[in-house]
Amino acid sequence: MGNKKIIKFSFIFLTALLLFNPLGENNSSHAATTDSSIVNMRLMETTDIHVNLVNYNYYQDKPTNEFGLAMTATLIKQARSEAKNHMLFDNGDLIQGNPLGDYVARNGLEEGEVHPVYKAMNLLDYDTANIGNHEFNYGIDYLKESIDDANFPYINANVYYDDGDSDPTNDENFFQPFKIIDKQVEDENGNTQTVDVGVIGFVPPQIMQWDSTNLEGKVITKGIYETAQKFIPQMKEQGADIIVAVPHSGLGSVELQKGEENATYNLTEVEGIDAILFGHAHEAFPSESFAGIPGVDLEKGTINGVPSVEAGFWGNHMGFVDLKLEKNGEDWDVIDSSAEVRSIYDEETGEALVEPDQEIIDAVSEEHQATLDYVRSEVGETTAPIHSYFALVKDDPSVQIVSNAQKWYTKNAVEGTEYEGLPVLSAAAPFKAGGRSGANYYTYIPEGPIAIKNVADLYVYPNTLKVVKLNGEQIRQWLEMSAGQFNQVDPDAQEQQSLVDLDFSTYNFDIIDGVTYEFDVTEPSRYNNDGELINPDAQRIVNLQYNGEPVNDGQEFLVATNNYRAGGGGNFPNLDGSQIVLSPQVQNRQAVIQYIQENETIDPSADGNWSFAPIDGNPKLTFQSSPDAQQFIQQDGNISYSGEGTNGFAKFNIDLSKPVTLSSIQQNVADLKQAGEIDHPLAVQLTNKLKQAEHQLDKGHRKQAIKKAEGFLKHLNNKAMNKFITTNAKEDLNNAAGELISNWQ
């Protein structure tokens, strides 16, 4: 084609184009159509890994299908393959939680040495991570050295430097409060777009109580909800197209409460947040356990319309939120969403649903093997199995060993101090007692050698020993708070009743050893789970005694406990850190190790210092435990196996009705006579038979006592006696005497 023809063709084309779109005219509808795009974005979350990098249970010293980042990594890679655009976030509680974490912290990190957590996580290309409350357990310096080698940024908005003044306007954030990531994405037309993703993190402000020793004077915290209200508008002003909140915080209450530990529900009501990836509570959302909560849509995975996910704990789930974004001019709007959690194993069969990622396992193999060598080293022996299967319903050997060790260490520590001579008590809780951590989350140590791994099984947290000074009334209120572990029992109800309140954290069920007491579970709880006094007249703790004498309100005691409880953790009354009188520089777990080493061989028998007050009536009470607990049911006890439960648990019955004794039958006869249900002649004869049985029992002649009790029954059931007794009274006495004889036999 010649040059003239090309010029002529170009002129005709431009003329036609101008006719349809004259120069200078702004065709806004066409511009909108051109700029408008759809982007599908996947936001993935891990949370509460607690150093479970390898799919290995260090306490039982065997592989597991139920947890481990190596398994989660496979899910992450699968989820990435399904989405063109994706981001990965972690929500904290990474560097503490199992023997591997303790081993690394115990040996310390040299400058430039990479924590095994980040050797693994750096392989997964995380975009951002949030700080969890357990990150502070080993101190701020260790935390800084640990996260220094993460190939991704850390954020937290509600921890500030403690500047020592009372002016909140000049407070400086300890961490970077938020980050805006320029994310390159591909829209549905195949075009490259940029979405500015703002990410903000939070931690429970209660870290100042839980880790006061590590944090006091260095940092302060502020409320999650209030902090979000401050920073979300700033993130918008700085260009965030969408905002993702990553609170290390559970769902929490519907009602807004200042300084809430679990504040995710509150965050859904903060304008500008487009998605929430939460954690801390060791639960999976969306799931049926959240059904019925106002504003929760489990099908969509939203809370008050905000797409949200919580990815379980220890790497047992991976969670993600899928957002559909539409470009509107320069802005991006969320026009649709969904949320999902995926498990690494089948909870019904226990079978793995994915294979572990070998790259992760190889990355931490050296530290994994060193941890195995450490936890397998022996410290002593036990003369009987130690387990926590019944720790919530009877005095327990796993708690007893910890209490024995704490008392032993404290008595040595107070020698030569002004506190020498004061009675020493110990507060310890069953850390592994099922609950939300599942049917396998119990302590079990077989008879024989005890290794470090077993002690870590007894005491799973890196707490430090603290000693508080309290009076008798304060001890009573401590126990009243612990009594929240139990539901209130209706003694007259005919239907089954669950004895244990599953919403109460078992690590808050403190047993105070050195005093004796009973729980009256027919009374309502005096405190709620937040430590608020809700029933001032309720008294669940009865028969509180020390050395066989009632505890006086003003009587002084030393109580060995841990830094979490002594500093106010769990919201227990009269415990806020000011009662601490001794701080031995030792971890509670190390005190247990030294106690076992000192004794070489230990007897794990519980001393039975607490029990339930007998209940009038015969309520049908149940509780759940591991199926393995059946082998430890005592034939002469009040616990029996009921059958299979849910989620892998087994169901058990417990009888708290008043035991039948000779004295109780004697009193029963007297009461029936007083009520006119037994006439005088028969009442006298029955009373005489019981006195004869009592006489034989006092002499130690059990067989003769049984014969006298059988004589009581024979006289009671003589047809000629029917005119002297009501039918109901006769039936009651028959049942009582029959049970007494059975017990004696």
Side-chain angles (χ1 to χ4, degrees):
M1 184 182 294
N3 288 336
K4 290 183 178 179
K5 290 185 177 180
I6 293 174
I7 294 171
K8 184 177 180 181
F9 177 82
S10 299
F11 176 79
I12 294 171
F13 175 79
L14 288 172
T15 302
L17 181 62
L18 289 173
L19 288 173
F20 286 100
N21 189 18
L23 290 172
E25 184 176 327
N26 181 17
N27 191 332
S28 58
S29 62
H30 178 73
T33 302
T34 302
D35 292 341
S36 178
S37 301
I38 298 294
V39 167
N40 290 309
M41 172 84 77
R42 173 162 288 183
L43 310 174
M44 298 179 289
E45 182 203 38
T46 57
T47 188
D48 295 270
I49 298 296
H50 286 286
V51 213
N52 288 290
L53 307 176
V54 180
N55 53 315
Y56 199 89
N57 188 323
Y58 292 108
Y59 306 116
Q60 297 179 7
D61 201 357
K62 64 180 184 181
T64 179
N65 293 330
E66 297 185 8
F67 52 82
L69 181 64
M71 306 278 277
T72 329
T74 303
L75 286 180
I76 291 170
K77 292 179 179 180
Q78 289 177 355
R80 277 180 169 151
S81 69
E82 301 165 358
K84 287 189 293 187
N85 308 303
H86 43 72
M87 302 181 75
L88 178 61
F89 307 91
D90 184 77
N91 200 352
D93 276 9
L94 268 174
I95 64 174
Q96 180 280 333
N98 73 1
L100 172 57
D102 291 334
Y103 173 79
V104 177
R106 178 172 168 265
N107 289 282
L109 290 169
E110 299 292 335
E111 186 174 349
E113 184 180 358
V114 181
H115 194 294
V117 156
Y118 299 105
K119 287 184 179 180
M121 297 185 70
N122 287 343
L123 297 172
L124 293 174
D125 296 324
Y126 279 83
D127 288 275
T128 315
N130 181 38
I131 296 288
N133 56 290
H134 282 286
E135 258 65 74
F136 299 96
N137 287 171
Y138 301 120
I140 288 180
D141 290 341
Y142 181 81
L143 169 58
K144 286 182 175 179
E145 183 59 40
S146 296
I147 67 176
D148 182 58
D149 293 301
N151 290 345
F152 44 88
Y154 265 91
I155 51 168
N156 170 273
N158 66 321
V159 177
Y160 293 79
Y161 286 98
D162 185 354
D163 57 15
D165 65 25
S166 56
D167 181 5
T169 62
N170 64 3
D171 291 340
E172 295 182 19
N173 285 93
F174 192 83
F175 302 96
Q176 181 179 355
F178 61 83
K179 184 171 181 60
I180 298 176
I181 302 170
D182 298 332
K183 181 66 176 177
Q184 299 296 304
V185 295
E186 181 182 327
D187 66 21
E188 291 303 284
N189 295 321
N191 300 315
T192 299
Q193 302 278 359
T194 299
V195 179
D196 292 330
V197 180
V199 190
I200 185 169
F202 309 92
V203 72
Q206 286 75 13
I207 60 170
M208 296 306 302
Q209 297 173 352
W210 302 338
D211 266 310
S212 58
T213 304
N214 292 326
L215 302 181
E216 192 172 344
K218 300 175 182 177
V219 298
I220 61 171
T221 57
K222 300 185 181 183
I224 294 174
Y225 178 79
E226 298 86 347
T227 303
Q229 287 184 310
K230 171 186 175 181
F231 281 113
I232 299 301
Q234 292 184 27
M235 296 171 73
K236 285 290 187 184
E237 289 174 7
Q238 293 183 29
D241 292 315
I242 63 171
I243 293 179
V244 181
V246 189
H248 192 81
S249 183
L251 183 64
S253 59
V254 173
E255 298 296 325
L256 177 63
Q257 297 182 23
K258 188 175 182 180
E260 184 79 89
E261 172 187 348
N262 295 304
T264 297
Y265 195 95
N266 302 152
L267 284 179
T268 65
E269 298 171 329
V270 176
E271 185 177 354
I273 294 178
D274 296 292
I276 297 179
L277 314 177
F278 63 112
H280 180 58
H282 287 208
E283 295 181 295
F285 181 92
S287 68
E288 286 302 316
S289 60
F290 294 88
I293 298 175
V296 170
D297 184 336
L298 294 180
E299 185 175 348
K300 289 280 291 182
T302 59
I303 306 169
N304 294 323
V306 180
S308 307
V309 75
E310 182 180 10
F313 61 98
W314 302 354
N316 63 358
H317 290 80
M318 187 276 294
F320 60 85
V321 169
D322 283 335
L323 300 178
K324 177 171 282 190
L325 309 176
E326 183 179 42
K327 193 170 187 180
N328 183 9
E330 296 299 319
D331 298 324
W332 290 92
D333 298 327
V334 178
I335 60 173
D336 199 7
S337 69
S338 63
E340 182 181 331
V341 283
R342 292 178 181 174
S343 178
I344 65 172
Y345 75 105
D346 188 315
E347 296 182 13
E348 293 293 328
T349 66
E351 295 181 359
L353 298 176
V354 292
E355 291 294 322
D357 186 289
Q358 192 61 43
E359 192 177 17
I360 298 291
I361 292 176
D362 292 343
V364 299
S365 60
E366 182 179 339
E367 291 88 352
H368 171 64
Q369 185 58 51
T371 302
L372 291 178
D373 295 340
Y374 167 65
V375 301
R376 287 168 179 169
S377 57
E378 293 183 9
V379 295
E381 289 195 1
T382 173
T383 59
I386 304 173
H387 65 86
S388 63
Y389 295 130
F390 299 129
L392 302 184
V393 296
K394 64 185 296 187
D395 200 16
D396 175 75
S398 71
V399 177
Q400 187 70 56
I401 296 302
V402 172
S403 275
N404 290 349
Q406 291 181 169
K407 284 195 292 184
W408 168 79
Y409 200 98
T410 300
K411 286 177 180 178
N412 290 333
V414 299
E415 286 185 5
T417 72
E418 61 183 294
Y419 305 108
E420 185 175 4
L422 283 178
V424 176
L425 312 179
S426 172
F431 294 136
K432 296 182 69 177
R436 66 188 185 189
S437 295
N440 293 323
Y441 195 63
Y442 291 89
T443 294
Y444 175 69
I445 304 169
E447 178 183 351
I450 298 179
I452 297 290
K453 64 184 178 183
N454 302 130
V455 180
D457 200 14
L458 284 169
Y459 208 106
V460 300
Y461 299 109
N463 297 138
T464 54
L465 184 66
K466 299 290 180 182
V467 182
V468 296
K469 181 183 174 185
L470 300 174
N471 62 34
E473 174 59 19
Q474 291 169 325
I475 296 292
R476 181 183 297 277
Q477 297 312 313
W478 189 334
L479 291 170
E480 286 286 356
M481 181 66 187
S482 287
Q485 183 68 77
F486 308 111
N487 293 314
Q488 184 178 9
V489 170
D490 181 354
D492 300 318
Q494 297 301 307
E495 67 275 6
Q496 287 189 345
Q497 302 178 67
S498 177
L499 175 62
V500 175
D501 182 354
L502 299 179
D503 291 329
F504 190 93
S505 299
T506 63
Y507 57 76
N508 283 333
F509 180 47
D510 279 351
I511 300 303
I512 298 186
D513 201 64
V515 290
T516 59
Y517 54 94
E518 294 176 324
F519 292 106
D520 182 357
V521 291
T522 64
E523 287 276 305
S525 291
R526 184 173 174 84
Y527 298 95
N528 66 15
N529 291 355
D530 294 323
E532 298 168 340
L533 184 63
I534 54 173
N535 291 301
D537 297 328
Q539 298 287 346
R540 285 188 147 189
I541 302 302
V542 296
N543 299 325
L544 177 61
Q545 298 183 344
Y546 174 73
N547 282 346
E549 298 293 332
V551 170
N552 296 322
D553 287 352
Q555 194 171 356
E556 292 186 329
F557 297 91
L558 297 178
V559 187
T561 182
N562 57 55
N563 61 296
Y564 172 79
R565 184 70 73 241
N571 303 306
F572 277 61
N574 307 307
L575 291 171
D576 59 9
S578 63
Q579 301 80 12
I580 298 172
V581 293
L582 286 173
S583 296
Q585 298 300 307
V586 66
Q587 285 191 347
N588 298 72
R589 185 186 300 149
Q590 188 60 34
V592 176
I593 291 172
Q594 292 181 22
Y595 170 75
I596 296 172
Q597 289 173 330
E598 175 80 10
N599 289 273
E600 296 183 356
T601 300
I602 60 170
D603 174 13
S605 301
D607 61 14
N609 72 297
W610 71 272
S611 60
F612 294 102
I615 297 175
D616 282 322
N618 189 25
K620 301 178 180 64
L621 302 179
T622 66
F623 68 94
Q624 66 179 22
S625 186
S626 165
D628 295 334
Q630 296 175 64
Q631 62 184 304
F632 295 103
I633 294 176
Q634 297 176 345
Q635 296 304 314
D636 58 348
N638 61 344
I639 294 173
S640 60
Y641 175 67
S642 177
E644 291 185 7
T646 58
N647 299 322
F649 285 95
K651 192 174 181 181
F652 295 84
N653 299 322
I654 183 167
D655 182 6
L656 299 185
S657 59
K658 283 188 175 180
V660 175
T661 63
L662 194 57
S663 297
S664 69
I665 297 178
Q666 290 171 327
Q667 185 62 50
N668 201 4
V669 171
D671 292 342
L672 290 169
K673 178 187 174 184
Q674 181 73 24
E677 295 196 54
I678 303 179
D679 288 346
H680 179 73
L682 178 58
V684 171
Q685 294 169 38
L686 292 176
T687 300
N688 287 338
K689 292 292 183 184
L690 293 173
K691 286 182 178 179
Q692 292 170 13
E694 183 178 30
H695 177 68
Q696 294 297 330
L697 200 63
D698 289 343
K699 292 165 62 176
H701 299 158
R702 183 177 294 271
K703 290 184 179 179
Q704 295 301 320
I706 291 174
K707 287 184 178 180
K708 295 301 180 182
E710 289 173 340
F712 170 90
L713 280 176
K714 185 176 180 180
H715 202 74
L716 175 66
N717 291 306
N718 188 329
K719 290 184 179 180
M721 298 293 110
N722 286 346
K723 59 183 177 181
F724 300 115
I725 186 170
T726 66
T727 302
N728 288 338
K730 183 176 180 180
E731 182 180 356
D732 288 346
L733 291 176
N734 263 303
N735 291 336
E739 183 176 339
L740 180 66
I741 292 170
S742 176
N743 290 341
W744 282 353
Q745 289 172 335

